[in-house]
Amino acid sequence: MTQIAVIGPGAIGCTVAAWLMQNSAHDVMVAARTAIVDLEIETTEGVLKAAPRVIAHVDAATRVDWVLVTTKAYDANGAAAWFKGLCDAGTIVAVLQNGVEHVERFAPYIAREHILPVMVDLPAERTAPGRVRQRNSGRMVVPQGGIGAGFVELFSHTHIAVSQSTDFKTEVWSKLCINSVGALSAILLKPAVIAHHEGVAQIMRGIVRECIAVGRAEGALLPDSLTQSVLAGYRSAAPDSLNSLHADRLAGRRMEIDARNGVIVRLGHKHGIPTPLNTMVVALLEATSV
Ligand SMILES: NC(=O)c1ccc[n+]([C@@H]2O[C@H](COP(=O)([O-])OP(=O)(O)OC[C@H]3O[C@@H](n4cnc5c(N)ncnc54)[C@H](OP(=O)(O)O)[C@@H]3O)[C@@H](O)[C@H]2O)c1
């Protein structure tokens, strides 16, 4: 049996835990801050049901082969508190989060060579504890290598497309370009339809241009055409669709401001690249909770 622990039974955690449990060779445990009883995932191909072992305290944790961290990026410290019960020298910690700093976020807690960053493109929303709507089959990307191959194998029985990339940096920065413009919806409290407003679209293009410049300085290969393709993607989404930053603000939850826009400002500063638009959206988003 492959022993797997999923830390954080939110939208992504419940979805991957339920999919992993469709393989009887997987023994899946869920580490929860807020208790759940079981899982029901509404997918485009039907409802997935699963009843993993749920633990609410680190004392109940046992050693596993794989830890999948699916908390929000800002909950890294809380997620890492589970490691002492779950990890030994052979455990791999896969970080299924947004942003570009998966490894840096967990390096204070576990050796870098044991951390597998995962780019997650899996639209899912929590409708109740343990209940998730997965909007499409989705995909995940990991760096090329032996550990990456093991992660691909974990999901080989699922409908989620999991692949390895020889240029993972470009994968995560491309996703960051898409995520970066979601800040405007969260500030304005307007869903995707707002991208048809030409003034807002201009700001979106500028936010992406800053992200491209910083990403290139970090070594990602980002074409200029991303500016247009990100906007086109936003405009072709359902007019009422909410990005997760916007959904979190509406629900009164903390937003992943730093992982999505703050990082562009911080790394821009490191490379001497001005990022006035991202600086502005970070300030405005932070001010919403003052
Ligand atoms: N949802 C998507 O469509 C999507 C798509 C791509 C990428 N992502 C990324 O994936 C990551 C997870 O997002 P999400 O949407 O799944 O977030 P989410 O629905 O807010 O779920 C996060 C879960 O982590 C739990 N948690 C927080 N601290 C914990 C701790 N110390 N121990 C155990 N559990 C803890 C939360 O508990 P509570 O139940 O108490 O809140 C919640 O259940 C984020 O980085 C996000 O940006 C999400």
Side-chain angles (χ1 to χ4, degrees):
M1 289 286 260
T2 305
Q3 310 288 336
I4 307 166
V6 177
I7 302 176
I12 298 300
C14 290
T15 303
V16 296
W19 275 110
L20 287 168
M21 286 191 73
Q22 305 308 304
N23 180 343
S24 58
H26 292 162
D27 182 14
V28 179
M29 176 191 336
V30 169
R33 177 175 67 180
T34 306
I36 55 160
V37 175
D38 55 12
L39 306 175
E40 274 188 30
I41 313 301
E42 193 188 319
T43 77
T44 48
E45 288 124 283
V47 177
L48 284 184
K49 295 188 181 192
R53 180 153 69 95
V54 179
I55 59 169
H57 194 277
V58 67
D59 290 346
T62 49
R63 185 264 165 203
V64 294
D65 303 303
W66 288 89
V67 168
L68 273 54
V69 177
T70 57
T71 63
K72 289 276 175 48
Y74 50 72
D75 277 325
N77 194 38
W82 292 95
F83 293 172
K84 78 175 159 83
L86 296 170
C87 299
D88 69 10
T91 304
I92 299 301
V93 175
V95 180
L96 285 68
Q97 292 179 335
N98 267 328
V100 296
E101 297 176 306
H102 306 64
V103 175
E104 290 78 359
R105 217 171 279 140
F106 286 93
Y109 311 104
I110 195 150
R112 282 176 176 255
E113 60 272 23
H114 289 261
I115 304 172
L116 180 72
V118 185
M119 194 286 287
V120 185
D121 180 7
L122 181 62
E125 66 216 22
R126 237 192 310 183
T127 53
R131 303 292 180 265
V132 174
R133 182 165 168 222
Q134 183 188 344
R135 287 183 176 271
N136 64 40
S137 49
R139 67 187 188 107
M140 293 192 279
V141 180
V142 292
Q144 189 85 34
I147 297 176
F151 187 82
V152 171
E153 177 60 28
L154 278 186
F155 286 89
S156 58
H157 64 288
T158 75
H159 295 173
I160 305 170
V162 187
S163 61
Q164 298 184 76
S165 170
T166 52
D167 188 0
F168 184 74
K169 195 177 278 281
T170 295
E171 290 285 345
V172 284
W173 275 94
S174 300
K175 175 87 191 293
L176 189 66
C177 285
I178 296 168
N179 282 343
S180 64
V181 300
L184 292 181
S185 283
I187 291 165
L188 295 165
L189 294 176
K190 302 270 188 199
V193 69
I194 198 62
H196 293 279
H197 182 284
E198 193 42 44
V200 172
Q202 282 291 14
I203 299 171
M204 287 181 161
R205 290 187 193 97
I207 288 171
V208 177
R209 271 195 289 272
E210 291 178 6
C211 189
I212 290 172
V214 178
R216 284 176 178 164
E218 285 284 302
L221 300 174
L222 303 170
D224 288 338
S225 59
L226 258 178
T227 310
Q228 289 309 333
S229 59
V230 167
L231 184 64
Y234 220 82
R235 284 180 166 174
S236 65
D240 60 349
S241 68
L242 301 183
N243 71 73
S244 68
L245 211 57
H246 184 182
D248 284 345
R249 185 177 171 202
L250 286 178
R253 291 187 293 257
R254 187 172 162 191
M255 293 178 278
E256 282 184 311
I257 303 169
D258 183 66
R260 294 170 63 124
N261 296 92
V263 64
I264 300 170
V265 177
R266 282 189 285 106
L267 295 178
H269 191 253
K270 177 179 121 186
H271 293 289
I273 297 169
T275 56
L277 292 172
N278 281 280
T279 301
M280 183 183 68
V281 298
V282 167
L284 292 177
L285 283 173
E286 286 177 353
T288 61
S289 58
V290 167

PDB file of all heavy atoms in Angstrom, residues 8-12 31-34 70-72 75 78-79 82 96-98 120 122-124 126 175 256, ligand 1:
ATOM      1  N   GLY A   8      -5.081  19.597   4.541  1.00  0.00           N
ATOM      2  CA  GLY A   8      -5.946  20.714   4.142  1.00  0.00           C
ATOM      3  C   GLY A   8      -7.083  20.260   3.244  1.00  0.00           C
ATOM      4  O   GLY A   8      -6.982  20.349   2.017  1.00  0.00           O
ATOM      5  N   PRO A   9      -8.195  19.796   3.842  1.00  0.00           N
ATOM      6  CA  PRO A   9      -9.321  19.298   3.036  1.00  0.00           C
ATOM      7  C   PRO A   9     -10.233  20.413   2.535  1.00  0.00           C
ATOM      8  O   PRO A   9     -11.416  20.480   2.875  1.00  0.00           O
ATOM      9  CB  PRO A   9     -10.048  18.358   4.008  1.00  0.00           C
ATOM     10  CG  PRO A   9      -9.779  18.947   5.355  1.00  0.00           C
ATOM     11  CD  PRO A   9      -8.429  19.610   5.289  1.00  0.00           C
ATOM     12  N   GLY A  10      -9.664  21.291   1.716  1.00  0.00           N
ATOM     13  CA  GLY A  10     -10.466  22.317   1.051  1.00  0.00           C
ATOM     14  C   GLY A  10     -10.810  21.844  -0.350  1.00  0.00           C
ATOM     15  O   GLY A  10     -10.900  20.638  -0.615  1.00  0.00           O
ATOM     16  N   ALA A  11     -10.957  22.799  -1.278  1.00  0.00           N
ATOM     17  CA  ALA A  11     -11.374  22.446  -2.643  1.00  0.00           C
ATOM     18  C   ALA A  11     -10.393  21.472  -3.301  1.00  0.00           C
ATOM     19  O   ALA A  11     -10.780  20.416  -3.812  1.00  0.00           O
ATOM     20  CB  ALA A  11     -11.503  23.720  -3.465  1.00  0.00           C
ATOM     21  N   ILE A  12      -9.117  21.800  -3.272  1.00  0.00           N
ATOM     22  CA  ILE A  12      -8.120  20.943  -3.923  1.00  0.00           C
ATOM     23  C   ILE A  12      -7.857  19.682  -3.097  1.00  0.00           C
ATOM     24  O   ILE A  12      -7.792  18.572  -3.633  1.00  0.00           O
ATOM     25  CB  ILE A  12      -6.804  21.732  -4.150  1.00  0.00           C
ATOM     26  CG1 ILE A  12      -7.050  22.922  -5.095  1.00  0.00           C
ATOM     27  CG2 ILE A  12      -5.702  20.834  -4.691  1.00  0.00           C
ATOM     28  CD1 ILE A  12      -7.554  22.552  -6.482  1.00  0.00           C
ATOM     29  N   ALA A  31      -5.433  15.301   6.910  1.00  0.00           N
ATOM     30  CA  ALA A  31      -5.137  16.087   8.106  1.00  0.00           C
ATOM     31  C   ALA A  31      -5.949  17.380   8.046  1.00  0.00           C
ATOM     32  O   ALA A  31      -5.751  18.192   7.148  1.00  0.00           O
ATOM     33  CB  ALA A  31      -3.641  16.398   8.165  1.00  0.00           C
ATOM     34  N   ALA A  32      -6.873  17.528   8.988  1.00  0.00           N
ATOM     35  CA  ALA A  32      -7.844  18.626   8.905  1.00  0.00           C
ATOM     36  C   ALA A  32      -7.722  19.595  10.070  1.00  0.00           C
ATOM     37  O   ALA A  32      -7.462  19.188  11.212  1.00  0.00           O
ATOM     38  CB  ALA A  32      -9.257  18.046   8.875  1.00  0.00           C
ATOM     39  N   ARG A  33      -7.926  20.859   9.771  1.00  0.00           N
ATOM     40  CA  ARG A  33      -8.041  21.868  10.829  1.00  0.00           C
ATOM     41  C   ARG A  33      -9.495  21.925  11.292  1.00  0.00           C
ATOM     42  O   ARG A  33      -9.790  22.029  12.464  1.00  0.00           O
ATOM     43  CB  ARG A  33      -7.587  23.223  10.262  1.00  0.00           C
ATOM     44  CG  ARG A  33      -7.709  24.379  11.210  1.00  0.00           C
ATOM     45  CD  ARG A  33      -7.126  25.632  10.603  1.00  0.00           C
ATOM     46  NE  ARG A  33      -7.877  26.130   9.450  1.00  0.00           N
ATOM     47  CZ  ARG A  33      -7.558  27.212   8.756  1.00  0.00           C
ATOM     48  NH1 ARG A  33      -6.479  27.896   9.080  1.00  0.00           N
ATOM     49  NH2 ARG A  33      -8.299  27.607   7.744  1.00  0.00           N
ATOM     50  N   THR A  34     -10.405  21.851  10.307  1.00  0.00           N
ATOM     51  CA  THR A  34     -11.837  21.807  10.595  1.00  0.00           C
ATOM     52  C   THR A  34     -12.323  20.425  10.168  1.00  0.00           C
ATOM     53  O   THR A  34     -12.120  20.013   9.016  1.00  0.00           O
ATOM     54  CB  THR A  34     -12.575  22.895   9.795  1.00  0.00           C
ATOM     55  OG1 THR A  34     -11.954  24.158  10.070  1.00  0.00           O
ATOM     56  CG2 THR A  34     -14.045  22.948  10.166  1.00  0.00           C
ATOM     57  N   THR A  70      -2.223  20.923   0.635  1.00  0.00           N
ATOM     58  CA  THR A  70      -3.253  21.613  -0.167  1.00  0.00           C
ATOM     59  C   THR A  70      -3.912  22.735   0.625  1.00  0.00           C
ATOM     60  O   THR A  70      -5.059  23.080   0.375  1.00  0.00           O
ATOM     61  CB  THR A  70      -4.318  20.595  -0.652  1.00  0.00           C
ATOM     62  OG1 THR A  70      -4.873  19.937   0.498  1.00  0.00           O
ATOM     63  CG2 THR A  70      -3.716  19.571  -1.589  1.00  0.00           C
ATOM     64  N   THR A  71      -3.168  23.293   1.586  1.00  0.00           N
ATOM     65  CA  THR A  71      -3.648  24.496   2.263  1.00  0.00           C
ATOM     66  C   THR A  71      -3.401  25.689   1.345  1.00  0.00           C
ATOM     67  O   THR A  71      -2.713  25.566   0.328  1.00  0.00           O
ATOM     68  CB  THR A  71      -2.882  24.735   3.579  1.00  0.00           C
ATOM     69  OG1 THR A  71      -1.506  24.954   3.247  1.00  0.00           O
ATOM     70  CG2 THR A  71      -3.010  23.558   4.530  1.00  0.00           C
ATOM     71  N   LYS A  72      -3.925  26.846   1.738  1.00  0.00           N
ATOM     72  CA  LYS A  72      -3.556  28.068   1.040  1.00  0.00           C
ATOM     73  C   LYS A  72      -2.074  28.361   1.322  1.00  0.00           C
ATOM     74  O   LYS A  72      -1.529  27.919   2.343  1.00  0.00           O
ATOM     75  CB  LYS A  72      -4.427  29.235   1.526  1.00  0.00           C
ATOM     76  CG  LYS A  72      -5.890  29.126   1.036  1.00  0.00           C
ATOM     77  CD  LYS A  72      -5.999  29.703  -0.349  1.00  0.00           C
ATOM     78  CE  LYS A  72      -7.368  29.552  -1.003  1.00  0.00           C
ATOM     79  NZ  LYS A  72      -8.516  29.927  -0.216  1.00  0.00           N
ATOM     80  N   ASP A  75      -0.875  29.489   4.740  1.00  0.00           N
ATOM     81  CA  ASP A  75      -0.997  28.561   5.862  1.00  0.00           C
ATOM     82  C   ASP A  75       0.163  27.567   5.914  1.00  0.00           C
ATOM     83  O   ASP A  75       0.027  26.482   6.488  1.00  0.00           O
ATOM     84  CB  ASP A  75      -2.332  27.800   5.799  1.00  0.00           C
ATOM     85  CG  ASP A  75      -3.485  28.604   6.384  1.00  0.00           C
ATOM     86  OD1 ASP A  75      -3.257  29.341   7.363  1.00  0.00           O
ATOM     87  OD2 ASP A  75      -4.604  28.512   5.858  1.00  0.00           O
ATOM     88  N   GLY A  78       1.201  26.403   9.513  1.00  0.00           N
ATOM     89  CA  GLY A  78       0.250  25.445  10.104  1.00  0.00           C
ATOM     90  C   GLY A  78       0.350  24.083   9.432  1.00  0.00           C
ATOM     91  O   GLY A  78       0.289  23.045  10.091  1.00  0.00           O
ATOM     92  N   ALA A  79       0.502  24.093   8.096  1.00  0.00           N
ATOM     93  CA  ALA A  79       0.623  22.815   7.373  1.00  0.00           C
ATOM     94  C   ALA A  79       1.875  22.068   7.827  1.00  0.00           C
ATOM     95  O   ALA A  79       1.848  20.853   8.062  1.00  0.00           O
ATOM     96  CB  ALA A  79       0.664  23.070   5.868  1.00  0.00           C
ATOM     97  N   TRP A  82       2.250  19.546  10.809  1.00  0.00           N
ATOM     98  CA  TRP A  82       1.886  18.120  10.704  1.00  0.00           C
ATOM     99  C   TRP A  82       3.086  17.243  10.355  1.00  0.00           C
ATOM    100  O   TRP A  82       3.036  16.031  10.510  1.00  0.00           O
ATOM    101  CB  TRP A  82       0.823  17.940   9.602  1.00  0.00           C
ATOM    102  CG  TRP A  82      -0.499  18.540   9.925  1.00  0.00           C
ATOM    103  CD1 TRP A  82      -0.969  19.766   9.570  1.00  0.00           C
ATOM    104  CD2 TRP A  82      -1.562  17.922  10.670  1.00  0.00           C
ATOM    105  NE1 TRP A  82      -2.241  19.962  10.036  1.00  0.00           N
ATOM    106  CE2 TRP A  82      -2.628  18.838  10.715  1.00  0.00           C
ATOM    107  CE3 TRP A  82      -1.707  16.676  11.302  1.00  0.00           C
ATOM    108  CZ2 TRP A  82      -3.829  18.557  11.371  1.00  0.00           C
ATOM    109  CZ3 TRP A  82      -2.900  16.392  11.950  1.00  0.00           C
ATOM    110  CH2 TRP A  82      -3.939  17.330  11.990  1.00  0.00           C
ATOM    111  N   LEU A  96       0.870  21.469  -3.468  1.00  0.00           N
ATOM    112  CA  LEU A  96      -0.132  21.756  -4.507  1.00  0.00           C
ATOM    113  C   LEU A  96      -0.723  23.133  -4.216  1.00  0.00           C
ATOM    114  O   LEU A  96      -1.774  23.258  -3.571  1.00  0.00           O
ATOM    115  CB  LEU A  96      -1.243  20.688  -4.504  1.00  0.00           C
ATOM    116  CG  LEU A  96      -0.923  19.318  -5.102  1.00  0.00           C
ATOM    117  CD1 LEU A  96       0.089  18.558  -4.260  1.00  0.00           C
ATOM    118  CD2 LEU A  96      -2.191  18.495  -5.237  1.00  0.00           C
ATOM    119  N   GLN A  97      -0.029  24.154  -4.650  1.00  0.00           N
ATOM    120  CA  GLN A  97      -0.457  25.523  -4.342  1.00  0.00           C
ATOM    121  C   GLN A  97      -0.189  26.439  -5.523  1.00  0.00           C
ATOM    122  O   GLN A  97       0.589  26.113  -6.418  1.00  0.00           O
ATOM    123  CB  GLN A  97       0.295  26.051  -3.111  1.00  0.00           C
ATOM    124  CG  GLN A  97      -0.088  25.345  -1.826  1.00  0.00           C
ATOM    125  CD  GLN A  97       0.674  25.846  -0.610  1.00  0.00           C
ATOM    126  OE1 GLN A  97       1.784  26.370  -0.736  1.00  0.00           O
ATOM    127  NE2 GLN A  97       0.085  25.679   0.570  1.00  0.00           N
ATOM    128  N   ASN A  98      -0.797  27.614  -5.469  1.00  0.00           N
ATOM    129  CA  ASN A  98      -0.519  28.627  -6.479  1.00  0.00           C
ATOM    130  C   ASN A  98       0.779  29.358  -6.159  1.00  0.00           C
ATOM    131  O   ASN A  98       1.338  29.227  -5.075  1.00  0.00           O
ATOM    132  CB  ASN A  98      -1.681  29.622  -6.567  1.00  0.00           C
ATOM    133  CG  ASN A  98      -2.678  29.213  -7.640  1.00  0.00           C
ATOM    134  OD1 ASN A  98      -2.295  28.632  -8.650  1.00  0.00           O
ATOM    135  ND2 ASN A  98      -3.948  29.526  -7.430  1.00  0.00           N
ATOM    136  N   VAL A 120      -0.906  23.589 -10.136  1.00  0.00           N
ATOM    137  CA  VAL A 120      -2.271  23.053 -10.106  1.00  0.00           C
ATOM    138  C   VAL A 120      -3.181  23.911 -10.978  1.00  0.00           C
ATOM    139  O   VAL A 120      -3.329  25.109 -10.739  1.00  0.00           O
ATOM    140  CB  VAL A 120      -2.820  23.053  -8.659  1.00  0.00           C
ATOM    141  CG1 VAL A 120      -4.192  22.392  -8.606  1.00  0.00           C
ATOM    142  CG2 VAL A 120      -1.858  22.369  -7.710  1.00  0.00           C
ATOM    143  N   LEU A 122      -6.733  23.175 -11.665  1.00  0.00           N
ATOM    144  CA  LEU A 122      -7.820  22.235 -11.367  1.00  0.00           C
ATOM    145  C   LEU A 122      -8.963  23.025 -10.741  1.00  0.00           C
ATOM    146  O   LEU A 122      -9.011  23.188  -9.526  1.00  0.00           O
ATOM    147  CB  LEU A 122      -7.278  21.168 -10.396  1.00  0.00           C
ATOM    148  CG  LEU A 122      -8.144  20.033  -9.909  1.00  0.00           C
ATOM    149  CD1 LEU A 122      -8.592  19.164 -11.066  1.00  0.00           C
ATOM    150  CD2 LEU A 122      -7.344  19.176  -8.916  1.00  0.00           C
ATOM    151  N   PRO A 123      -9.855  23.569 -11.561  1.00  0.00           N
ATOM    152  CA  PRO A 123     -10.880  24.462 -11.005  1.00  0.00           C
ATOM    153  C   PRO A 123     -11.866  23.699 -10.116  1.00  0.00           C
ATOM    154  O   PRO A 123     -12.561  22.794 -10.582  1.00  0.00           O
ATOM    155  CB  PRO A 123     -11.596  25.012 -12.249  1.00  0.00           C
ATOM    156  CG  PRO A 123     -10.852  24.502 -13.424  1.00  0.00           C
ATOM    157  CD  PRO A 123     -10.011  23.349 -12.991  1.00  0.00           C
ATOM    158  N   ALA A 124     -11.867  24.070  -8.845  1.00  0.00           N
ATOM    159  CA  ALA A 124     -12.725  23.367  -7.885  1.00  0.00           C
ATOM    160  C   ALA A 124     -13.171  24.345  -6.815  1.00  0.00           C
ATOM    161  O   ALA A 124     -12.424  25.247  -6.450  1.00  0.00           O
ATOM    162  CB  ALA A 124     -11.943  22.219  -7.248  1.00  0.00           C
ATOM    163  N   ARG A 126     -15.306  24.599  -2.929  1.00  0.00           N
ATOM    164  CA  ARG A 126     -15.935  23.934  -1.792  1.00  0.00           C
ATOM    165  C   ARG A 126     -17.362  24.422  -1.663  1.00  0.00           C
ATOM    166  O   ARG A 126     -17.601  25.631  -1.632  1.00  0.00           O
ATOM    167  CB  ARG A 126     -15.179  24.330  -0.522  1.00  0.00           C
ATOM    168  CG  ARG A 126     -14.636  23.173   0.243  1.00  0.00           C
ATOM    169  CD  ARG A 126     -14.150  23.536   1.599  1.00  0.00           C
ATOM    170  NE  ARG A 126     -13.254  24.670   1.706  1.00  0.00           N
ATOM    171  CZ  ARG A 126     -12.723  25.041   2.879  1.00  0.00           C
ATOM    172  NH1 ARG A 126     -13.009  24.377   3.977  1.00  0.00           N
ATOM    173  NH2 ARG A 126     -11.910  26.073   2.953  1.00  0.00           N
ATOM    174  N   LYS A 175       1.315  30.421 -15.241  1.00  0.00           N
ATOM    175  CA  LYS A 175       0.090  30.376 -14.425  1.00  0.00           C
ATOM    176  C   LYS A 175      -0.026  31.647 -13.593  1.00  0.00           C
ATOM    177  O   LYS A 175      -1.118  32.182 -13.408  1.00  0.00           O
ATOM    178  CB  LYS A 175       0.126  29.123 -13.534  1.00  0.00           C
ATOM    179  CG  LYS A 175      -1.030  29.000 -12.536  1.00  0.00           C
ATOM    180  CD  LYS A 175      -2.242  28.325 -13.124  1.00  0.00           C
ATOM    181  CE  LYS A 175      -3.507  28.406 -12.287  1.00  0.00           C
ATOM    182  NZ  LYS A 175      -3.485  27.693 -11.027  1.00  0.00           N
ATOM    183  N   GLU A 256      -4.974  35.134  -0.936  1.00  0.00           N
ATOM    184  CA  GLU A 256      -3.568  34.795  -1.242  1.00  0.00           C
ATOM    185  C   GLU A 256      -2.912  35.967  -1.993  1.00  0.00           C
ATOM    186  O   GLU A 256      -2.420  35.793  -3.114  1.00  0.00           O
ATOM    187  CB  GLU A 256      -3.499  33.522  -2.089  1.00  0.00           C
ATOM    188  CG  GLU A 256      -3.688  32.238  -1.305  1.00  0.00           C
ATOM    189  CD  GLU A 256      -3.512  31.001  -2.177  1.00  0.00           C
ATOM    190  OE1 GLU A 256      -4.114  30.939  -3.254  1.00  0.00           O
ATOM    191  OE2 GLU A 256      -2.781  30.090  -1.764  1.00  0.00           O
TER     192      GLU A 256
HETATM  193  N1  LIG B   1      -9.608  25.830  -5.794  1.00  0.00           N
HETATM  194  C1  LIG B   1      -9.079  25.941  -6.990  1.00  0.00           C
HETATM  195  O1  LIG B   1      -9.801  25.924  -8.001  1.00  0.00           O
HETATM  196  C2  LIG B   1      -7.593  26.060  -7.174  1.00  0.00           C
HETATM  197  C3  LIG B   1      -7.076  25.917  -8.470  1.00  0.00           C
HETATM  198  C4  LIG B   1      -5.700  26.001  -8.653  1.00  0.00           C
HETATM  199  C5  LIG B   1      -4.872  26.227  -7.570  1.00  0.00           C
HETATM  200  N2  LIG B   1      -5.417  26.368  -6.328  1.00  0.00           N
HETATM  201  C6  LIG B   1      -4.479  26.589  -5.210  1.00  0.00           C
HETATM  202  O2  LIG B   1      -4.484  25.432  -4.375  1.00  0.00           O
HETATM  203  C7  LIG B   1      -4.243  25.806  -3.007  1.00  0.00           C
HETATM  204  C8  LIG B   1      -5.420  25.301  -2.155  1.00  0.00           C
HETATM  205  O3  LIG B   1      -6.563  26.035  -2.572  1.00  0.00           O
HETATM  206  P1  LIG B   1      -8.051  25.629  -2.174  1.00  0.00           P
HETATM  207  O4  LIG B   1      -8.940  26.358  -3.112  1.00  0.00           O
HETATM  208  O5  LIG B   1      -8.189  24.170  -2.044  1.00  0.00           O
HETATM  209  O6  LIG B   1      -8.155  26.301  -0.721  1.00  0.00           O
HETATM  210  P2  LIG B   1      -9.284  26.084   0.379  1.00  0.00           P
HETATM  211  O7  LIG B   1     -10.529  25.559  -0.253  1.00  0.00           O
HETATM  212  O8  LIG B   1      -9.330  27.337   1.183  1.00  0.00           O
HETATM  213  O9  LIG B   1      -8.704  24.903   1.273  1.00  0.00           O
HETATM  214  C9  LIG B   1      -7.610  25.035   2.137  1.00  0.00           C
HETATM  215  C10 LIG B   1      -7.811  24.025   3.244  1.00  0.00           C
HETATM  216  O10 LIG B   1      -6.684  24.007   4.077  1.00  0.00           O
HETATM  217  C11 LIG B   1      -7.141  23.870   5.412  1.00  0.00           C
HETATM  218  N3  LIG B   1      -6.107  24.238   6.356  1.00  0.00           N
HETATM  219  C12 LIG B   1      -5.567  25.454   6.608  1.00  0.00           C
HETATM  220  N4  LIG B   1      -4.643  25.359   7.582  1.00  0.00           N
HETATM  221  C13 LIG B   1      -4.594  24.049   7.934  1.00  0.00           C
HETATM  222  C14 LIG B   1      -3.833  23.327   8.869  1.00  0.00           C
HETATM  223  N5  LIG B   1      -2.931  23.914   9.665  1.00  0.00           N
HETATM  224  N6  LIG B   1      -4.047  21.985   8.984  1.00  0.00           N
HETATM  225  C15 LIG B   1      -4.954  21.360   8.218  1.00  0.00           C
HETATM  226  N7  LIG B   1      -5.712  21.997   7.298  1.00  0.00           N
HETATM  227  C16 LIG B   1      -5.518  23.326   7.168  1.00  0.00           C
HETATM  228  C17 LIG B   1      -8.350  24.755   5.451  1.00  0.00           C
HETATM  229  O11 LIG B   1      -9.102  24.474   6.600  1.00  0.00           O
HETATM  230  P3  LIG B   1     -10.529  25.145   6.935  1.00  0.00           P
HETATM  231  O12 LIG B   1     -11.519  24.152   6.393  1.00  0.00           O
HETATM  232  O13 LIG B   1     -10.524  25.261   8.410  1.00  0.00           O
HETATM  233  O14 LIG B   1     -10.560  26.465   6.210  1.00  0.00           O
HETATM  234  C18 LIG B   1      -9.013  24.339   4.152  1.00  0.00           C
HETATM  235  O15 LIG B   1      -9.775  23.156   4.342  1.00  0.00           O
HETATM  236  C19 LIG B   1      -4.106  27.330  -3.012  1.00  0.00           C
HETATM  237  O16 LIG B   1      -2.754  27.704  -3.120  1.00  0.00           O
HETATM  238  C20 LIG B   1      -4.846  27.741  -4.295  1.00  0.00           C
HETATM  239  O17 LIG B   1      -4.418  28.973  -4.816  1.00  0.00           O
HETATM  240  C21 LIG B   1      -6.743  26.281  -6.095  1.00  0.00           C
END
